[in-house]
Amino acid sequence: MTVLVLPGGKVTDRRRTRPWQVADLRMWAFTWALRRLGSGIDVRQVRYRRRGWNGDDRSPVHDVRGVLDELRPSGTPVVLIGHSMGGRVAAVVADDPQVVALLALAPWWPDGEGARIPTATRMVVVHGTADRWTDPLASRMQTELAAARGVPVHWIGVAGAGHAMLRHPWRWRRIAVDFVRDQSHQLSAPNVS
């Protein structure tokens, strides 16, 4: 199993990304925690070429599709973990048949991206209830709509937490670690007919 960690970004910014940007640094704590799981779980943090979504260009989507294309020959199942814009990217690329699960952290879903999730993709959405950058009520509503379509999904609110996941940071990381561990167990469980 491969886990792709997808950082946030900006609405519009065509400058090249740098590894010391806050969005990337924020997700390194998740990447490190997930790498400690070991046992055949390959964890990769994706660095986008451009900092922003950039309208119809959807710049980071191309970068993540490129990584998925590189993984395709191995046939490995992919789990996506995306924060903010990374949650939007994850929702768009979840249509790739390699993607089995998605964890969206304070996702930026302005265009109903939650509706894109295929019904076979397991999903958890986590949102701080005090988030002022992305809308926790919108992500909850999209989670409920996905559930109504048959997506196995769960929404978790982190009371009083904002967008940067600085309140209760251990809780956010624990949710991510547990999510990946659960996906690993589900993938390794024998199919019973």
Side-chain angles (χ1 to χ4, degrees), residues 26-46:
R26 178 178 294 123
M27 294 311 290
W28 272 112
F30 288 85
T31 300
W32 290 329
L34 294 167
R35 284 182 176 163
R36 295 185 70 196
L37 287 171
S39 66
I41 301 172
D42 177 25
V43 181
R44 302 178 187 194
Q45 183 164 323
V46 177

Side-chain angles (χ1 to χ4, degrees), residues 10-11 53 84-85 87-88 105-110 113 133-134 163:
K10 299 181 180 252
V11 175
W53 180 261
S84 190
M85 182 184 76
R88 188 176 192 185
L105 305 169
W108 174 45
W109 285 345
E113 280 78 9
W133 289 13
T134 58
H163 190 70

Side-chain angles (χ1 to χ4, degrees), residues 100-133:
V100 296
L102 184 162
L103 174 63
L105 305 169
W108 174 45
W109 285 345
D111 295 326
E113 280 78 9
R116 297 176 181 267
I117 310 304
T119 56
T121 304
R122 295 178 295 277
M123 180 170 69
V124 171
V125 179
V126 186
H127 219 128
T129 61
D131 191 334
R132 300 290 176 247
W133 289 13

Side-chain angles (χ1 to χ4, degrees), residues 122-190:
R122 295 178 295 277
M123 180 170 69
V124 171
V125 179
V126 186
H127 219 128
T129 61
D131 191 334
R132 300 290 176 247
W133 289 13
T134 58
D135 186 357
L137 297 176
S139 77
R140 185 172 194 157
M141 181 185 71
Q142 290 190 54
T143 301
E144 291 169 359
L145 291 171
R149 287 189 306 106
V151 176
V153 61
H154 181 65
W155 190 88
I156 301 170
V158 180
H163 190 70
M165 303 181 296
L166 296 175
R167 184 172 185 150
H168 310 299
W170 53 269
R171 182 164 183 220
W172 293 86
R173 286 191 296 275
R174 170 56 46 204
I175 289 168
V177 166
D178 289 346
F179 180 76
V180 169
R181 187 178 287 128
D182 289 348
Q183 303 319 308
S184 178
H185 290 175
Q186 285 194 24
L187 290 169
S188 63

Side-chain angles (χ1 to χ4, degrees), residues 78-90:
V78 175
V79 172
L80 304 171
I81 297 179
H83 174 250
S84 190
M85 182 184 76
R88 188 176 192 185
V89 174

